Structure formats: C-alpha cells, structure tokens
Amino acid sequence: MDYFPSSLEVLIEKFATLPGIGQKTAQRLAFFVLSLPDSEAISFAQAILDAKKSVSCCVVCQNLTDKELCTICSSTRREPGIICVVSDPKGVLAIERSHEYGGRYHVLHGVISPMNNVGPDDIRINELVARVADGDISEVIMATNPDTEGETTARYISRLISPFGVKVTRLAYGIPVGSSLEFADDATLMRALEGRMEM
Amino acid sequence: MDYFPSSLEVLIEKFATLPGIGQKTAQRLAFFVLSLPDSEAISFAQAILDAKKSVSCCVVCQNLTDKELCTICSSTRREPGIICVVSDPKGVLAIERSHEYGGRYHVLHGVISPMNNVGPDDIRINELVARVADGDISEVIMATNPDTEGETTARYISRLISPFGVKVTRLAYGIPVGSSLEFADDATLMRALEGRMEM
C-alpha cells in the first residue's frame, strides 16, 4: 500500500498505536491533522512535547504536576492528615468532582496485577507507606476501583499500613444513585445490604 | 479544573479537537502519550510535523503525495486515458483495494454542498476540466459517494465535461455482494432492478 506518501503512512501508524484507535480512525485523524492550518498542526506537535517535558509526579502524592508539589499538596486549605488512595490521576479528578473531599491524595499509578506482571514494587506503594510512617496521618481512604485488582491492592495496602495505627477505610459499595434496583447485579446488592445504614 | 498541570490540559484540549474524539477519550489519549518513553513521544510529534511539511497534492490528480507527481500518475503501467473521480484520498484507497482498476484518478477534495457553503470552485473541479480539455482522455468514471451531495457533484461534473466528447460513466448501484435482499433499502433495490444485467 504505497498509495499514500510515506510520511502520511507514518503519521497514520502513530495514531494507530493510541489506545482504542483502529486503522480506519487513525486514517481519519491523520487526514484531519493534514487539513489543519500549519500553525495548528505545529501547536499540536508542540503540545505533545511540552506535556511530555513538563509533566512529572508530585514528590508527595505522585499525582501529575508541572511543579515539584501539585496544587493539592501545596494548598493550605486541604486537610493534611487524610489521604485518599487512587489508582491513577483520573481517580483524583473523579473524587474532586464530588466536591465532598477536603483531604489529600496518593496516586498509585496502577494496581497490583499478577496477571499483568505488576507487583507491589511496580506501583507507588512504598511512597505511601513512607508518608504514613512519617506520622501525622489520621486516616487513609482506599478508593481504588471496585474490581478484583483494585480490591486486592486495597487489602494489601491496608495490611501494610494498619500497624502504624492509622485508620484505614474504603469507599462504600452500594447501588448507584439514580439507578434502578432491577438492574443492580447480585454482588452489588449483597454489598448494599451489608452496608445498610439507619435512616 | 486545575487538578492537571496546564501543559497536560493543553494536550487534552488538542486531542479533543480531533474528529470523533470526546473529552474522556482525549484524556485517555493524553495520559497514554505521557506514559510513552520520551523517544516515542518525540517521534509522534515529529510525525505530525513531517507529514504536514512533506505532504502536498499531486499536480495532476490532486491525490496526496510527497513528490510533485504521485506514484499512480508517475507510473507507466497505468492507463493514462481513463480518470476515476473520487471525492477524497480515501476513495483512491478503496478503489485500489479492488485491484480492478488500471487507470488514473482525480481527487476532488470535497463535494459540492450548498448546505456547507461548498461550491464548485471550492473543490478541484477546474483541475479536472483542464485535464479533460487537454485531450487524450477517453473515459471519466464518476466514483463520488452514492449520496445526494456525491450524486449532485457527479452530475455537475458530467455536464461540464461531456461537451469535450469524453465518455462519462458512473459506478454501478446495486445490492452489495454478500448482503441479504431482506436488508436492502428500497432505493438500492430500485437501482439494482434498473441496472439488472443478462446472465
């Protein structure tokens, strides 16, 4: 297939390496980029380079930041004694959207997953243990995803940090607000019953 | 939302401008790019710049190329007297996939669409007329998409070039190979009946 110039083929290939982007979509995206004005295409390329160069992990919570400390860790309005543990930066975004949480975070950048060769040392668990060992932490809220790997990771971390006398909690399981009982799966209903609260 | 560093926000915005890419997908793509090794991210950015810089339109058929003449127009093995008119470079790819066509192409880069403010002068019709006027063209095959705009464009071009004594044809309409009669729409069935051939 040399119907397209080689540089266009290369660009299509690059787009096709992105997650969830197949060959057809990659073609569409590459054609779109070609149709952009020069300045737009250059600023797209520059955005990739800039983000890659300037984004690193916060030295405290491991969330993505372009400074040494992320905005949440450097804020004086956030409760420093509470840590919410999430598996990735999108988790921070999700919790922040609820406007309910005033503490800090710890981003693991993954979950323990023997199937994918990810062990406890491959994610940022040691950094979390160090924060807890440093003291002044009153509660650690586990907010990894409610799947097997997220559960395993939460349990592993819980066992690791409870000796420090810190309170370890887990986000509540239950039926989602606005959903219908009819469509809730058995496991969720079981958890919702277990976690029932007095009205 | 300043939970992400600004350069990451910029990258997410850039991805979100691509066609068919929403905010969530843009986030996923940006995170993926951040997770790439430096060299990979740089070569992604470079691919955009390279494609944008080196790709232009073939001076004859207007297909994308990185030379003055595209590979098809510069090939001596393609019949120069037959031109297949497609609306965009993906059309060339589609026809080439059939391995049935040995002529050359003309890429319009669009279709006439008054709804979108695209008139005959906004697409490469004049270049096609010039090719036909130059002589030595025996047949022009209209292969624009079988929708209203593609049809209109084909008819418009046909009226424009038939005075030059060139044979103007249209890709056959009919039921797709491998499909089921049951699911063919009325218009397609009507065209399939009209175009029936002796066995």
Side-chain angles (χ1 to χ4, degrees):
Chain A
M1 286 217 296
D2 55 346
Y3 311 121
F4 291 142
S6 59
S7 59
L8 177 55
E9 291 284 358
V10 169
L11 184 57
I12 294 174
E13 284 313 306
K14 290 289 171 195
F15 272 117
T17 61
L18 297 177
I21 305 288
Q23 198 64 29
K24 288 252 167 177
T25 310
Q27 255 182 39
R28 192 155 45 98
L29 298 182
F31 278 119
F32 177 81
V33 168
L34 277 188
S35 76
L36 289 175
D38 271 357
S39 62
E40 280 293 306
I42 290 169
S43 84
F44 195 135
Q46 196 57 47
I48 293 177
L49 298 175
D50 285 351
K52 190 68 197 163
K53 200 172 64 186
S54 70
V55 175
S56 58
C57 291
C58 170
V59 290
V60 174
C61 76
Q62 311 294 326
N63 193 9
L64 299 174
T65 178
D66 47 8
K67 306 190 197 67
E68 205 187 338
L69 269 186
C70 74
T71 43
I72 294 175
C73 284
S74 56
S75 164
T76 53
R77 292 160 56 200
R78 311 288 300 221
E79 171 65 61
I82 305 181
I83 298 178
C84 178
V85 179
V86 291
S87 60
D88 56 50
K90 280 174 270 186
V92 174
L93 206 64
I95 305 267
E96 287 295 299
R97 261 202 315 265
S98 75
H99 298 293
E100 262 304 310
Y101 181 65
R104 294 190 177 166
Y105 291 92
H106 191 88
V107 181
L108 295 173
H109 291 278
V111 282
I112 297 173
S113 168
M115 295 272 285
N116 299 313
N117 267 322
V118 182
D121 291 337
D122 298 319
I123 60 179
R124 313 285 169 89
I125 292 180
N126 295 333
E127 289 83 349
L128 174 62
V129 175
R131 283 175 79 180
V132 174
D134 267 357
D136 295 338
I137 304 294
S138 59
E139 180 176 0
V140 173
I141 305 170
M142 302 305 308
T144 50
N145 285 328
D147 51 22
T148 319
E149 294 171 343
E151 272 301 82
T152 311
T153 308
R155 277 170 201 281
Y156 179 88
I157 292 175
S158 169
R159 268 208 305 272
L160 218 55
I161 58 180
S162 28
F164 294 99
V166 68
K167 180 170 148 199
V168 184
T169 56
R170 178 92 182 88
L171 284 192
Y173 286 110
I175 42 174
V177 176
S179 71
S180 159
L181 263 193
E182 188 182 350
F183 302 119
D185 61 295
D186 302 354
T188 303
L189 275 179
M190 199 185 73
R191 297 299 196 107
L193 272 169
E194 271 176 19
R196 65 189 180 278
M197 294 170 76
E198 212 164 318
M199 293 183 65
Chain B
M1 288 218 295
D2 54 348
Y3 311 120
F4 291 142
S6 60
S7 58
L8 178 55
E9 292 283 358
V10 170
L11 184 57
I12 293 174
E13 285 313 306
K14 290 289 172 193
F15 272 117
T17 61
L18 297 177
I21 305 288
Q23 199 63 29
K24 288 252 168 179
T25 309
Q27 256 181 38
R28 192 155 45 98
L29 298 182
F31 278 119
F32 177 81
V33 168
L34 278 188
S35 75
L36 289 174
D38 270 358
S39 62
E40 279 292 308
I42 291 169
S43 85
F44 196 134
Q46 197 58 46
I48 293 177
L49 298 174
D50 285 351
K52 189 66 198 168
K53 200 172 66 186
S54 70
V55 175
S56 58
C57 290
C58 170
V59 290
V60 174
C61 76
Q62 312 294 326
N63 193 9
L64 299 175
T65 178
D66 48 9
K67 306 189 197 68
E68 204 187 338
L69 270 185
C70 74
T71 43
I72 293 175
C73 283
S74 56
S75 165
T76 53
R77 290 161 57 199
R78 311 288 299 220
E79 170 66 60
I82 306 181
I83 298 178
C84 178
V85 179
V86 292
S87 60
D88 55 50
K90 279 174 270 187
V92 174
L93 205 65
I95 304 266
E96 286 296 299
R97 259 204 315 266
S98 75
H99 297 293
E100 260 305 307
Y101 181 65
R104 294 189 176 165
Y105 290 93
H106 191 87
V107 181
L108 295 174
H109 291 278
V111 282
I112 299 173
S113 169
M115 295 271 286
N116 300 312
N117 266 324
V118 182
D121 290 337
D122 298 319
I123 60 177
R124 313 284 167 91
I125 292 181
N126 294 332
E127 289 83 349
L128 175 63
V129 175
R131 284 176 77 181
V132 174
D134 269 358
D136 295 336
I137 303 295
S138 58
E139 181 176 357
V140 173
I141 305 171
M142 301 306 308
T144 49
N145 284 328
D147 51 22
T148 319
E149 293 172 344
E151 271 301 83
T152 311
T153 309
R155 277 171 202 281
Y156 179 88
I157 293 176
S158 167
R159 268 209 305 272
L160 218 55
I161 59 180
S162 30
F164 294 101
V166 68
K167 181 170 146 198
V168 184
T169 56
R170 179 90 181 88
L171 284 192
Y173 285 111
I175 41 174
V177 176
S179 71
S180 159
L181 264 194
E182 190 183 350
F183 302 120
D185 61 295
D186 303 354
T188 302
L189 275 179
M190 199 185 73
R191 296 300 195 106
L193 273 170
E194 271 176 18
R196 66 189 180 277
M197 293 168 76
E198 212 165 316
M199 292 181 69

